[in-house]
Amino acid sequence: MPRILMERSGEMEVFTRVVQEGGFSAAARSLDITPSAVSKLIARLEARLGTRLLMRTTRALTLTEEGEAYHHAALKILQALNDADQEASGGAVRGRLRVNATIPFGTMFVAPAMPAFIARNPDLIVDLSFADGIVDLVAEKTDVAIRMGNLPDSGLIARKLGQSRRVVCAAPSYLERKGKPQTPADLERHDCLTFNFRRERPSWPFRWDGREIAQAVTGSLVVNNGETMKQVVLAGAGVARLGLFHVAADIAAGRLVPLLEDCNPGDLELIHAIYVGGGPLPHRVRAFIEYMIEALEESPLLRAGRNHLSVPPCGHDVAYNA
């Protein structure tokens, strides 16, 4: 029986690595085995389960419905095995931890939390990078990234850290020149500033006449990060839609004015920590995620405005594909 269980965990690890890497050859390279060995292990797994898990063509590899279910379960099992190993080994946290976060969240929450985190883990070197664009974790050799908003299709693992309400806002100087929009449609006559990493036509969600709408917006300026957006809005360049946690102090001080709040449909921006799955989660990554959840709960910024950014209890790691 122990031998059979060992074979099963090995099959799971190879299968999840194939999904993560997107192919047999890439998975074989990451595992330092031959592609034929990967192929045989997947064939043995499918034969044992009596179902096809992967659809393979010359151009792509996709999961079947059964494969999706097995992949989700396998990730949880492999994580549980890793947790057991860490518990037995004492969970030493050491080495270099590479963290990427969006600029606003990184500067407001991650950076201030680092001194205490490093003091707690003196054998760890933390390598921080802040950028609002999407980072390829594998290519950039990033251990964990904190991302705002909806997650794109991916084989990564995500843990929800919290959520922030978005707010449409502008500086008083801009509103003196252009007037204050009274309806979402009024934004068509305003300079609405957007992000250049949004590929689709920019639109902002509102509730109007009892239904939710997507109001198309245009403007004379696009930027690539939230901090730059806040600065140009403060300078009176136009109207923007930003995370409330990012601009709450400016609104309270009168430097920015929230707009169309009675039309806000509960526009939320989710905050996730994401990392590469398919194998044991390093002690340093788990320690960082757990500490950030703890730090967000205790942050004075969050205590000062719980309605701005609420952080739920630590949840389960989940695979995401949408």
Side-chain angles (χ1 to χ4, degrees):
M1 182 62 70
R3 183 177 63 84
I4 295 174
L5 291 176
M6 182 175 66
E7 288 177 356
R8 287 184 179 180
S9 65
E11 289 170 351
M12 286 181 180
E13 184 139 12
V14 171
F15 173 73
T16 56
R17 191 64 64 89
V18 167
V19 176
Q20 173 190 319
E21 299 292 339
F24 285 18
S25 296
R29 286 192 297 272
S30 70
L31 293 166
D32 196 24
I33 59 177
T34 65
S36 62
V38 172
S39 181
K40 288 177 181 178
L41 280 166
I42 297 300
R44 186 177 73 189
L45 174 61
E46 291 179 327
R48 181 170 60 78
L49 297 176
T51 188
R52 176 169 289 184
L53 302 176
L54 297 166
M55 297 293 291
R56 301 178 285 278
T57 68
T58 56
R59 293 187 177 182
L61 181 148
T62 58
L63 287 165
T64 64
E65 184 176 346
E66 294 80 7
E68 289 274 7
Y70 187 80
H71 181 243
H72 182 69
L75 287 173
K76 292 170 65 176
I77 291 169
L78 289 171
Q79 187 60 65
L81 290 172
N82 182 58
D83 289 345
D85 287 346
Q86 291 191 19
E87 186 69 24
S89 65
V93 178
R94 61 171 62 94
R96 180 179 292 270
L97 174 72
R98 294 177 175 85
V99 178
N100 181 275
T102 62
I103 295 173
F105 192 86
T107 55
M108 293 183 70
F109 296 104
V110 179
M114 286 304 97
F117 177 66
I118 293 170
R120 183 182 294 187
N121 302 284
D123 294 328
L124 190 66
I125 297 173
V126 180
D127 186 339
L128 292 181
S129 296
F130 296 156
D132 282 2
I134 300 299
V135 172
D136 185 328
L137 270 64
V138 176
E140 299 294 330
K141 297 182 180 179
T142 299
D143 294 304
V144 59
I146 297 179
R147 281 290 164 262
M148 317 291 289
N150 294 328
L151 300 175
D153 289 346
S154 172
L156 301 173
I157 309 300
R159 171 172 286 185
K160 182 182 174 184
L161 300 180
Q163 60 191 25
S164 171
R165 190 167 72 81
R166 291 188 180 103
V167 61
V168 176
C169 57
S173 60
Y174 172 84
L175 297 175
E176 289 173 6
R177 298 194 320 270
K178 298 290 188 176
K180 192 173 183 179
Q182 301 300 316
T183 72
D186 289 345
L187 292 174
E188 295 175 1
R189 299 188 296 274
H190 282 267
D191 206 351
C192 297
L193 314 180
T194 56
F195 293 99
N196 58 18
F197 47 78
R198 310 289 190 210
R199 294 181 181 275
E200 68 275 8
R201 183 185 179 190
S203 64
W204 295 345
F206 292 99
R207 179 170 290 278
W208 186 252
D209 283 341
R211 61 188 180 88
E212 292 192 10
I213 63 171
Q215 176 63 49
V217 295
T218 59
S220 58
L221 183 67
V222 295
V223 302
N224 72 343
N225 68 81
E227 183 58 29
T228 299
M229 180 67 81
K230 186 177 83 165
Q231 294 305 320
V232 297
V233 173
L234 284 168
V239 181
R241 172 173 165 256
L242 290 163
L244 187 53
F245 79 89
H246 192 194
V247 295
D250 298 294
I251 291 173
R255 293 186 293 268
L256 290 175
V257 177
L259 305 172
L260 301 169
E261 280 291 273
D262 56 341
C263 302
N264 192 310
D267 184 15
L268 295 177
E269 185 173 47
L270 301 182
I271 305 167
H272 287 93
I274 60 174
Y275 57 90
V276 177
L281 182 63
H283 301 331
R284 63 186 186 278
V285 176
R286 180 163 295 281
F288 172 78
I289 293 174
E290 299 292 347
Y291 183 81
M292 283 309 304
I293 291 172
E294 176 184 329
L296 292 179
E297 287 282 13
E298 298 177 355
S299 170
L301 289 174
L302 302 188
R303 285 204 302 270
R306 276 293 173 186
N307 59 325
H308 298 162
L309 179 63
S310 59
V311 181
C314 177
H316 298 291
D317 298 339
V318 296
Y320 67 85
N321 292 289

